């Protein structure tokens, strides 16, 4: 019978162990990927990059840098390790992966430690690790990112475990307080766990509270004052005042409890049954049953974590990673419920109740099996990243990549401010206490864009133009990145590099070339216009036009799709070998085409590809040397894509 019970607990631990194995295998497959898995990873690496170069990460907001609204612990760790191992995505993920292993080990130990018989505790350890692992796809694969969440959780969980088992020893209380206070410098929400641990200590050993408060206050409060002094007040302004400008959605706050308690119904049911059983037995016996103290401790921490998660997800721009602490603590509490239930029942059926709860939890974990496919970058993504970095490296001067600033570092260029920093500083809720004026402006951003400081700007597939004032004054779209240069992100918000903007400067034709038309006068002087469609333009209302040079191009879309007409060059004698031009618009030759005519008859024809990103067209005219020709750009359609855009028409020697 004893052997059968041991096998029972081992079997009940297996689904959780399998979940943990799947998690670690998935993390291992993502570890070495050299590009963003989540759109803010590169920005975090830029924090570490600045620290490695001796720069502060809490400066006044500028086009060069704005920090994320987090405390500095994680990038400081990356910077220190980066000097030894080299900074990059694999290093950042390795730190998070090691922290994840620590979280799983602490969770298992916390449950096993509560069980004298080791049977229910073994199954409970599997449950705790399994819940953590099964939460991974739900929180969009956040555990192993170049983000501080998992390192924060490991340090905070370490403090909570030490506090649970060392409440009677002042030295361990001091260590727990130090770890929990240190977690604040990895993520601000650590302050809530400091409070949760202090409240638990009041019950476990109130005499140790002064030690706890003194150590936590010295580290947390003293560290905050020091950092604020060293950064001229910017530290507190960013991590608190700017952060408070984010809107709070109370509907999301209340829905969070349904999300957390409803994700794994067996977990919630096990916690409820164990809580009722412990309360009933404690009232009947006038003392807590064996194993109940640990369960109640972790149930309390789970409740605090649920509130913490609800507050986090209610905050503007939050993701389900806000629930990571709650689900971790919930998994530990569910695991600890099994030894607690064993202590509530006496006699030969003592293990029936925890076994039933274990079966329900094991079944839940088996049903929660998940595929890692959606969270793994494909080989095509790595190849796309390689091509994109090579493309960035080939562009002249600095390149501003607001959503992926570390890509500039990989291309051998300097990084600049992340898009999230711009949003944090410039998005201000009128219902909030106003920020100081110095924190509202991104110094130099508009001037840099208006004056074309960068050789190129690469924006993602999001509507960012209103976030980048001055962009359309100094830049125009040069090209849309091809699909094989757009590495995906597979965690968090979707954000993929898409458009390359380059300065509005006229292109220099090759030596000896004849400029037939560059339209930089802002008129169609020198051309004959037939019909009402054609005009010189700097853009088209409601449409993204790119691929032209300078500030002007010719288009038949200026009045919409309906007007028709033909744009004719003056006749000229061919003396060169090629005629080149840039063309955008429709692809249907009868309604939208470019022609090279001899004696009024088309001898060369070209169409676009239904795009307003002007593409190069090249005609070999060696056989036409000495003949008189004329260029014609024909808009003969009134439907969609019935027009053309033209720029940089040259004859090349």
């Amino acid at each position: 019978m004893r052997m059968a019970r041991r096998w029972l607990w081992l079997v009940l631990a297996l689904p959780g162990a399998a979940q943990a194995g799947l998690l670690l295998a998935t993390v291992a497959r993502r570890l070495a990927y050299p590009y963003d898995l989540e759109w803010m990873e590169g920005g975090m690496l830029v924090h570490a990059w600045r620290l490695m170069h001796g720069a502060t990460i809490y400066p006044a907001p500028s086009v060069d840098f704005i920090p994320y609204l987090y405390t500095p612990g994680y990038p400081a760790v990356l910077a220190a390790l980066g000097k030894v191992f080299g900074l990059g995505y694999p290093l950042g993920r390795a730190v998070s992966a090691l922290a994840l292993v620590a979280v799983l080990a602490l969770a298992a130990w916390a449950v096993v430690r509560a069980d004298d018989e080791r049977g229910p505790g073994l199954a409970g350890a599997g449950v705790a690790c399994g819940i953590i692992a099964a939460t991974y796809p739900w929180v969009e694969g956040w555990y192993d990112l170049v983000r501080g969440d998992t390192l924060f959780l490991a340090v905070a969980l370490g403090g909570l475990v030490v506090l649970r088992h060392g409440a009677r020893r002042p030295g361990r209380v001091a260590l727990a307080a130090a770890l929990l206070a240190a977690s604040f410098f990895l993520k601000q929400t650590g302050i809530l766990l400091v409070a949760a641990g202090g409240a638990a200590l009041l019950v476990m050993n109130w005499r140790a509270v002064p030690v706890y408060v003194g150590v936590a206050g010295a580290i947390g409060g003293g560290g905050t004052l020091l950092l604020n002094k060293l950064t001229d007040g910017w530290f507190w302004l960013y991590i608190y005042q700017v952060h408070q400008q984010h809107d709070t959605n109370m509907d999301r706050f209340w829905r969070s409890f349904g999300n957390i308690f409803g994700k794994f119904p067996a977990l919630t049911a096990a916690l409820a049954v164990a809580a009722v059983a412990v309360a009933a037995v404690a009232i009947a016996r006038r003392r807590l049953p064996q194993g109940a103290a640990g369960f109640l401790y972790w149930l309390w921490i789970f409740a605090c974590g649920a509130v913490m998660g609800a507050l986090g997800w209610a905050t503007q721009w939050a993701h389900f990673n806000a629930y990571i602490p709650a689900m971790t603590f919930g998994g530990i509490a569910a695991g600890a419920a099994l030894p607690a239930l064993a202590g509530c029942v006496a006699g030969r059926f003592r293990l029936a109740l925890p076994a039933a709860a274990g079966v329900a939890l094991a079944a839940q974990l088996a049903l929660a099996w998940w595929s890692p496919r959606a969270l793994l970058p494909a080989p095509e993504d790595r190849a796309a990243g390689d091509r994109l970095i090579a493309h960035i490296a080939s562009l002249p001067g600095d390149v501003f990549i607001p959503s992926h600033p570390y890509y500039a570092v990989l291309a051998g260029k300097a990084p600049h401010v992340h898009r999230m920093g711009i949003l944090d500083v410039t998005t201000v809720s009128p219902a909030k206490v106003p920020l100081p004026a110095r924190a509202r402006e991104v110094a130099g951003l508009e001037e840099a864009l208006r004056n074309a400081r960068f050789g190129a700007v690469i924006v993602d597939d999001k509507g960012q133009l209103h976030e980048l004032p001055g962009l359309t004054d100094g830049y125009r779209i040069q090209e849309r990145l091809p699909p094989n240069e757009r590495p995906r992100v597979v965690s968090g918000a979707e954000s993929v590099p898409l458009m390359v903007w380059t300065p509005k400067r006229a292109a220099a034709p090759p030596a000896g070339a004849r400029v037939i038309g560059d339209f930089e006068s802002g008129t169609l002087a020198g051309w004959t216009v037939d019909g009402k469609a054609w005009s010189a333009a700097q853009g088209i209302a409601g449409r993204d036009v790119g691929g032209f040079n300078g500030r002007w191009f010719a288009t038949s879309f200026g009045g919409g799709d309906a007007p028709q007409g033909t744009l004719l060059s003056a006749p000229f004698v061919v003396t060169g070998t090629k005629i080149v031009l840039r063309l955008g618009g429709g692809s249907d030759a009868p309604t939208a085409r470019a022609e090279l005519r001899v004696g009024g008859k088309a001898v060369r024809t070209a169409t676009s590809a239904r795009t307003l990103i002007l593409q190069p067209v090249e005609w070999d005219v060696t056989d036409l040397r000495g003949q008189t020709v004329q260029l014609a750009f024909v808009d003969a359609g009134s439907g969609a894509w019935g027009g053309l855009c033209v720029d940089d028409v040259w004859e090349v020697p």
Side-chain angles (χ1 to χ4, degrees), residues 466-481:
H466 68 284
E467 302 164 10
L468 300 173
L471 179 65
T472 55
D473 295 319
Y475 293 83
R476 70 337 183 216
I477 298 172
Q478 175 63 28
E479 60 180 312
R480 180 187 292 266
L481 291 170

Side-chain angles (χ1 to χ4, degrees), residues 164-563:
R164 164 70 189 98
H165 298 288
R168 297 291 174 182
R169 298 184 181 182
R172 293 190 181 181
V173 170
L175 175 59
L179 288 170
L180 287 166
S183 76
F184 169 78
F185 293 102
L186 292 161
K187 201 168 183 180
Q188 294 95 306
T189 44
I191 192 66
L192 300 176
L193 295 179
V194 172
L201 186 61
L202 276 172
V203 176
M204 295 186 295
N205 181 18
W206 63 267
R207 291 182 178 84
V209 168
V211 173
Y212 182 88
V213 171
V215 173
I219 295 175
T224 297
L225 291 173
L226 178 61
L227 283 170
N228 212 42
K229 182 176 178 60
L230 292 175
T231 60
D232 191 28
W234 283 106
F235 172 70
W236 185 252
L237 199 149
Y238 280 121
I239 72 159
Y240 181 74
Q241 289 178 267
V242 176
H243 198 283
Q244 291 303 301
Q245 294 297 315
H246 290 178
D247 286 331
T248 300
N249 186 316
M250 291 308 297
D251 177 62
R252 280 166 57 116
F253 174 82
W254 293 113
R255 280 196 290 131
S256 288
F257 296 104
N259 293 337
I260 293 169
F261 298 134
K263 178 58 181 174
F264 300 113
L267 179 150
T268 304
L271 295 180
V273 169
V276 171
V278 166
V281 171
I283 292 172
R285 298 178 185 174
R286 297 189 178 181
R287 62 180 174 83
L288 286 176
Q290 182 180 342
F295 165 69
L296 292 176
Y297 176 83
W298 291 110
L299 184 64
W300 161 249
I301 299 299
F302 171 50
C304 294
V307 173
M308 188 168 73
L311 288 171
W313 195 58
T315 303
Q316 188 176 11
W317 298 315
H319 282 268
F320 273 17
N321 65 301
Y323 298 152
I324 291 174
M327 301 310 297
T328 299
F329 302 147
I332 297 173
L338 301 187
L341 286 169
C344 288
V345 182
R348 61 187 301 181
F349 298 107
R350 176 172 178 266
L351 299 181
L353 187 57
V359 168
L361 288 164
Q364 178 82 82
L365 290 172
L367 291 172
W369 194 255
W370 48 277
S371 168
R373 180 177 300 176
L375 296 169
L376 294 173
E380 293 80 9
D381 294 308
R382 182 187 286 263
D386 293 343
R387 293 188 188 95
L388 176 61
I389 299 306
H391 189 161
I392 295 169
S394 72
L395 295 170
D398 283 347
V399 178
F400 181 29
I401 315 172
S403 295
H404 306 275
Y406 202 71
Y407 287 0
V409 177
L410 295 178
K413 302 176 185 291
H416 295 87
V417 65
H418 193 283
R419 179 184 174 223
M420 192 71 249
I422 297 172
L423 291 174
D424 283 332
V425 168
T426 59
T427 304
V428 180
S429 171
K432 304 288 185 177
V433 176
L435 287 173
R438 65 176 184 159
R440 290 290 309 278
E441 180 182 353
V442 184
L445 176 62
E446 184 170 356
E447 293 81 1
L449 296 176
R450 194 180 301 280
N451 297 323
R453 165 184 160 183
F454 305 107
V457 178
I458 300 179
V459 299
D460 276 27
D461 55 345
K462 306 291 181 186
Q464 300 175 12
L465 300 189
H466 68 284
E467 302 164 10
L468 300 173
L471 179 65
T472 55
D473 295 319
Y475 293 83
R476 70 337 183 216
I477 298 172
Q478 175 63 28
E479 60 180 312
R480 180 187 292 266
L481 291 170
N484 66 359
E485 289 186 22
R486 302 181 209 164
R488 298 175 304 139
V489 294
V490 294
S491 294
E494 294 182 8
S495 192
V496 179
L498 183 63
M499 292 288 191
V500 180
W501 294 63
T502 53
K504 288 183 175 179
R505 299 186 183 119
R514 181 196 312 188
V515 177
I516 300 170
D518 62 10
F519 311 105
E520 288 305 300
S521 67
T523 69
L524 299 178
W527 294 74
T528 299
V529 178
D530 179 19
K532 298 181 178 180
W534 286 92
S535 63
Q538 292 181 302
I540 300 174
R543 304 193 190 192
D544 291 330
V545 184
F548 62 96
N549 291 302
R551 294 182 176 273
W552 294 86
F553 60 94
T555 182
S556 64
F557 283 114
D561 291 308

Side-chain angles (χ1 to χ4, degrees), residues 31-80:
L31 189 66
Y33 184 66
Y35 304 113
D36 284 339
L37 289 173
E38 185 268 339
W39 81 295
M40 289 176 63
E41 282 191 304
M44 186 60 77
L45 286 174
V46 172
H47 286 64
W49 182 89
R50 285 179 63 88
L51 290 173
M52 289 177 64
H53 287 77
T56 179
I57 58 171
Y58 297 109
S62 74
V63 64
D64 294 318
F65 186 73
I66 299 172
Y68 293 157
L69 306 184
Y70 301 133
T71 41
Y74 183 71
V77 170
L78 295 189

